[in-house]
Amino acid sequence: MAGEQYDPPSGPPPGWRQRHHDEYAPPPGPPPSHRHGGTFTPPPGPPPPHSHNETFAPPPCPPPTHHHDETFAPPSNPPPNKNQIPSDSNPPPYHDWTIIPDTALLPPPPTIHHEFSPTANASASSAEHARNWTQRNPLAAPATISLAAQTARQNQQYLVNRPREFTGHIYPNRTPGTYRIKAGERCDDCVLVMALPSYAARLDSPLETEVARTVYFEVRVERMGRAGEAGIAVGFVALPYPTWRLPGWERGSVGVHGDDGRRYLNDNAGGKDFTTPWRDGETVGVGMRFAVSEQPPEYGESRTRLKVEVFFTRSGAKVGGWNVHEERDRDDTSGDVQGLEGFHDLHAAIGVFGGSDFQIILNPVEWKYHPE
């Protein structure tokens, strides 16, 4: 077939028309971004929910929040959060500072403790000597009081132990349980202690008798002596007690001192403010009252605590007192009440230094004040 030519099929090749004339077939209509007339031509006919011959028909009633002929009627109660202001904006409650609160039920504040007496002070060596002495001589256990000693107490037959530091004279009066004392001008610090206890723990403790017990005595001041050079003190001590120390200076002792008017309880410093200095011619008295406490034992205590109060009188009238378990300032290292809680015997004691004259009155017949 050398002289014969190839006849192609009629029509263009299958892919030619698509490439030249029909390469891209757009959807009908112009592109969305192209408008020949400048306006959008919507589809023919109205929207399905819209009719040319009808208008929108609202609900038959007005909106719930809209009333043309009535005003808004709020609920009868305030909104739930009317009085609940957020905590971050809630101011502190108003305090009327003009009203003074009732502090009668609060315990009294601790009494100020002083480092020195304003009148006379014992030497530091004397205090150190006493501290070492008491460490070597612990408090004695309550004694068993014999029948003879009990009879002597009932008859006010108290004898005065004379310390070696005392210079002067001790004269018994006609009335049993009363003495006249004349201390010399050079009398050193010392304490006159009654031989029999005023409070015998085995006999007088309210834990044994179920009855409160009060012990008391008086001192009639005739001459106080020179201020700063002489003084008298009254109180109670548990034995053994250093004879060169006034009552209230060492452990197991309590006292009120006449030269500065301060009270002392196991306090070898300056005491606490209590009363005014004593005057010549007046009678002073000191007492202790023991009763079963209404409070339960403190944590760590193995026995019931007694309520022990100390009171002081002048010229037949009670002028003050305190509880031995009183509140103390945190920095106050004095005031250990061991020996004064009603579990040890306690003896009436009169402290003396310098020249002075006074009478000891342990017999209730001659007291100016009579405890209940």
Side-chain angles (χ1 to χ4, degrees):
M1 300 203 177
E4 187 177 9
Q5 296 183 349
Y6 174 74
D7 294 326
S10 60
W16 185 86
R17 178 178 299 174
Q18 183 177 359
R19 289 195 307 270
H20 293 278
H21 298 284
D22 200 21
E23 185 172 2
Y24 172 72
S33 60
H34 180 73
R35 302 288 185 270
H36 292 284
T39 59
F40 172 72
T41 303
H50 180 74
S51 175
H52 290 285
N53 298 324
E54 67 177 343
T55 58
F56 173 72
C61 298
T65 58
H66 181 73
H67 299 277
H68 291 284
D69 299 329
E70 63 177 320
T71 58
F72 173 71
S76 57
N77 297 323
N81 61 348
K82 174 69 176 179
N83 298 320
Q84 299 176 2
I85 304 175
S87 59
D88 56 351
S89 62
N90 189 18
Y94 172 73
H95 176 69
D96 189 356
W97 60 269
T98 61
I99 299 178
I100 301 176
D102 182 11
T103 59
L105 300 179
L106 298 178
T111 307
I112 297 177
H113 174 259
H114 298 281
E115 294 297 328
F116 301 98
S117 170
T119 55
N121 295 273
S123 64
S125 61
S126 174
E128 183 66 21
H129 182 201
R131 185 179 302 108
N132 295 332
W133 188 92
T134 54
Q135 290 176 352
R136 296 192 306 268
N137 298 273
L139 292 174
T144 300
I145 308 299
S146 65
L147 290 177
Q150 294 181 39
T151 302
R153 287 206 316 166
Q154 293 173 359
N155 296 330
Q156 312 302 322
Q157 295 173 343
Y158 290 93
L159 299 179
V160 180
N161 287 330
R162 179 181 182 132
R164 63 181 181 180
E165 295 85 3
F166 176 78
T167 58
H169 302 279
I170 301 176
Y171 304 103
N173 292 332
R174 291 184 178 180
T175 304
T178 62
Y179 292 87
R180 189 183 194 93
I181 310 298
K182 292 183 69 68
E185 297 296 329
R186 297 184 179 180
C187 182
D188 293 330
D189 294 345
C190 62
V191 59
L192 307 177
V193 180
M194 301 303 109
L196 291 175
S198 298
Y199 174 86
R202 291 182 181 270
L203 295 177
D204 303 325
S205 172
L207 297 178
E208 300 293 336
T209 64
E210 299 182 355
V211 178
R213 169 68 172 174
T214 299
V215 294
Y216 175 76
F217 73 96
E218 293 182 347
V219 164
R220 188 172 300 156
V221 179
E222 296 177 348
R223 182 175 64 94
M224 277 293 297
R226 296 179 181 178
E229 298 181 5
I232 307 171
V234 294
F236 295 90
V237 300
L239 300 182
Y241 193 81
T243 57
W244 65 96
R245 301 290 284 173
L246 271 60
W249 279 355
E250 302 303 329
R251 61 95 207 266
S253 71
V254 61
V256 179
H257 293 199
D259 60 327
D260 57 15
R262 292 179 178 175
R263 59 180 174 93
Y264 295 75
L265 192 155
N266 185 19
D267 181 356
N268 60 11
K272 297 180 179 179
D273 294 331
F274 182 60
T275 187
T276 58
W278 307 347
R279 300 181 303 271
D280 294 348
E282 70 175 333
T283 298
V284 299
V286 64
M288 298 183 69
R289 185 178 188 275
F290 303 84
V292 176
S293 176
E294 299 176 355
Q295 300 295 327
E298 296 288 334
Y299 179 78
E301 291 184 340
S302 58
R303 53 189 173 183
T304 302
R305 171 184 288 189
L306 290 175
K307 182 180 180 181
V308 184
E309 296 179 339
V310 183
F311 61 93
F312 181 70
T313 68
R314 299 182 74 160
S315 300
K318 184 178 179 180
V319 295
W322 72 96
N323 191 310
V324 297
H325 295 286
E326 67 179 349
E327 294 287 339
R328 298 202 308 270
D329 189 80
R330 181 180 62 182
D331 299 329
D332 183 4
T333 57
S334 68
D336 184 0
V337 298
Q338 182 185 15
L340 301 170
E341 299 174 284
F343 306 117
H344 294 79
D345 297 343
L346 290 171
H347 299 246
I350 300 90
V352 185
F353 69 92
S356 59
D357 301 332
F358 57 91
Q359 294 189 48
I360 303 173
I361 306 173
L362 295 109
N363 196 323
V365 174
E366 295 196 10
W367 288 347
K368 288 193 173 184
Y369 176 83
H370 293 273
E372 297 179 358

